[in-house]
Amino acid sequence: MTAPLAATPFSITDPLPTGTVLLEASAGTGKTWTIAALVTRWVAEGLVTLPEMLIVTFGRAASQELRARVRERLTEVEHDLGEPPPMHERDELVALLLDTTDHEIAVRRRRIRTALTQFDAATIATTHQFCQQVLRSLGVAGTTDASAVLVEDLDDVLVDVVDDLYLRAFGQASDAPFFGRSEALTIARTAVDDIHAQLRPSGADPTSDVGRRVRFAQAVRDEVDVRKRRLQVMHYNDLLTQLAGALEAPDSPARQRMRDRWRVVLVDEFQDTDPIQWQVLDRAFTGHALAMVLIGDPKQAIYAFRGGDVVTYLRAAATAGTAQTLATNHRSDEPVVRALGAFLGGAELGDPRIAVHPVDAAHHGSRLAGMPSGGPVRLRQVLLEDHLGGKATVGGVRHFIADDLARDIAHLLSSSATFEGRPL
């Protein structure tokens, strides 16, 4: 096991990142602000232009929000460089960019103004959107069927495949099927939705129940691929697979195209990156980009959102030359942050490389006053015998959490508590 890199607190006033940098960002620590500030600083200091930056996130809503925040930050800083605010109103980024000669300030403002005029050319996109851009740019050098139609949902095709395979396997059998059609659909959807996951156990006896499920899942994947080609349709997951294939050879045109186009790469919500997504980024940019900043919260990798997994996160983290953390929580009050730090600080979530790091709070004191219950954090207990009947399961605990939380919120709202002096 690779020893974890010593993580140091990140500051926007530090030298700009170079190489592969892992930036851990817990909830409320200003991740989006940091991304927008890094983009602005790279542009203002003339190291790269906005079209030379690739900013990747997950989901269209997230990419649209990030796009708006980056544009807003560039606009604000362009204004502040032209009409500097009083010293006490400058944040760290503005203060840094103004700390130079009048001539250089004017040059920085001009660079940002140019970036704003080029903003439509900025690549702030989902992983699938940027994959599609690259594959289209490759033309005949790529592997994409130019006539294929990109679709978001293949469920109709999948249901037809399941019905055909299920009838072929069990339609003429005298014995009862090993699993019902409903389970067959569940197996198929799981296998196709997470198309890059390995089907295991790979060495199972093909005549056993588990072996039959693995074989059925593989048969569904194979047949769906055949029908996609026949129907000339392509799913978003196919974009990743095809781009990873186009990048496989060390001298592939795709690698050179991507390196020529993007010199700085920022990957938001990196903990949700799946193995194929990381393979694309690694093949194209590791060791070649001026900087590749991987921004995420590894503590969330344990939930495996969007196909991401802890193993992929740790494998990618091992390529980083620098590890840093956003060490200030801008969302929660200091008593809450301090109490949670005492409760969870230093905890290792399944691996020594995924630990709960210390975080300070930007809000000192408590903005919430007059609470019916004392203490910023309380620990509730669900007892194994008294509440769960001796059986500990996540499902069994979940409704206790929801009921307890609903009662707590109702109690708080019916009290005389105030937030920043205003009644709740």
Side-chain angles (χ1 to χ4, degrees):
M1 182 178 67
T2 306
L5 285 171
T8 59
F10 172 87
S11 171
I12 194 60
T13 61
D14 291 339
L16 281 165
T18 57
T20 301
V21 176
L22 188 70
L23 182 56
E24 293 189 13
S26 297
T29 54
K31 178 188 62 175
T32 305
W33 185 95
T34 300
I35 294 171
L38 281 170
V39 171
T40 302
R41 200 177 150 196
W42 258 305
V43 168
E45 296 183 14
L47 297 175
V48 290
T49 63
L50 189 61
E52 291 176 317
M53 303 183 72
L54 169 62
I55 307 163
V56 180
T57 189
F58 290 85
R60 292 181 182 177
S63 68
Q64 289 168 358
E65 180 190 357
L66 190 54
R67 193 175 189 87
R69 293 285 292 276
V70 170
R71 184 195 288 271
E72 179 182 290
R73 193 64 176 139
L74 288 167
T75 302
E76 291 171 349
V77 173
E78 190 275 335
H79 175 270
D80 289 346
L81 293 185
E83 299 179 28
M87 293 291 291
H88 68 277
E89 294 182 8
R90 301 175 185 180
D91 64 19
E92 291 178 297
L93 175 63
V94 172
L96 176 70
L97 294 177
L98 285 169
D99 187 18
T100 185
T101 65
D102 289 345
H103 171 73
E104 179 60 22
I105 291 173
V107 172
R108 289 176 176 181
R109 187 184 186 200
R110 192 159 56 246
R111 289 173 184 146
I112 292 176
R113 193 179 297 129
T114 299
L116 286 167
T117 64
Q118 298 173 327
F119 200 82
D120 287 343
T123 309
I124 304 174
T126 67
T127 307
H128 297 112
Q129 287 170 338
F130 112 80
C131 286
Q132 190 174 21
Q133 286 184 32
V134 174
L135 289 167
R136 281 178 175 171
S137 73
L138 291 175
V140 294
T143 57
T144 305
D145 179 0
S147 61
V149 176
L150 191 62
V151 296
E152 294 188 32
D153 189 1
L154 286 169
D155 202 60
D156 288 344
V157 175
L158 183 138
V159 170
D160 286 344
V161 167
V162 168
D163 287 344
D164 291 347
L165 292 178
Y166 194 77
L167 285 172
R168 188 186 307 166
F170 303 119
Q172 303 298 321
S174 55
D175 298 330
F178 290 94
F179 46 85
R181 179 182 179 276
S182 177
E183 186 178 354
L185 276 171
T186 300
I187 293 170
R189 287 187 174 121
T190 302
V192 172
D193 287 348
D194 194 1
I195 196 68
H196 304 129
Q198 294 183 359
L199 299 176
R200 292 185 177 178
S202 55
D205 179 354
T207 62
S208 66
D209 283 358
V210 68
R212 290 177 187 275
R213 285 170 171 79
V214 170
R215 286 168 53 208
F216 183 77
Q218 187 59 59
V220 168
R221 283 183 172 180
D222 294 342
E223 185 61 24
V224 167
D225 281 342
V226 169
R227 299 197 187 188
K228 281 189 297 187
R229 288 193 296 272
R230 186 184 303 158
L231 295 168
Q232 289 190 298
V233 297
M234 185 167 58
H235 190 260
Y236 283 106
N237 286 331
D238 298 322
L239 295 172
L240 281 163
T241 305
Q242 292 186 14
L243 184 53
L247 291 165
E248 186 171 4
D251 60 347
S252 72
R255 292 195 187 201
Q256 198 56 51
R257 290 276 178 89
M258 293 174 72
R259 292 167 189 168
D260 289 344
R261 180 169 180 181
W262 295 298
R263 296 178 56 215
V264 167
V265 181
L266 295 100
V267 186
D268 187 22
E269 301 289 3
F270 182 69
Q271 75 278 351
D272 294 340
T273 297
D274 71 30
I276 301 297
Q277 291 165 353
W278 170 240
Q279 193 176 71
V280 166
L281 295 166
D282 186 36
R283 287 174 174 176
F285 299 115
T286 297
H288 295 274
L290 172 64
M292 180 162 62
V293 185
L294 312 175
I295 307 159
D297 184 358
K299 299 185 293 300
Q300 295 183 39
I302 62 175
Y303 300 120
F305 294 139
R306 292 181 282 259
D309 61 68
V310 174
V311 174
T312 298
Y313 182 92
L314 294 176
R315 186 181 298 123
T319 70
T322 305
Q324 293 185 286
T325 62
L326 296 180
T328 302
N329 187 307
H330 298 273
R331 183 180 301 163
S332 302
D333 291 342
E334 187 262 344
V336 175
V337 173
R338 187 177 65 245
L340 288 174
F343 181 54
L344 298 171
E348 296 175 355
L349 304 183
D351 190 286
R353 293 166 290 179
I354 299 180
V356 179
H357 297 296
V359 176
D360 296 323
H363 298 289
H364 298 289
S366 179
R367 293 168 291 175
L368 183 63
M371 292 180 292
S373 304
V377 172
R378 286 167 292 145
L379 181 63
R380 302 296 183 91
Q381 205 173 19
V382 177
L383 300 175
L384 182 63
E385 296 297 335
D386 293 358
H387 300 126
L388 301 176
K391 230 168 132 187
T393 64
V394 172
V397 171
R398 190 168 283 135
H399 81 273
F400 285 101
I401 297 171
D403 290 349
D404 192 32
L405 180 60
R407 281 193 295 268
D408 213 44
I409 292 172
H411 194 198
L412 179 62
L413 290 175
S414 63
S415 72
S416 57
T418 61
F419 184 80
E420 293 184 329
R422 302 189 308 273
L424 291 179

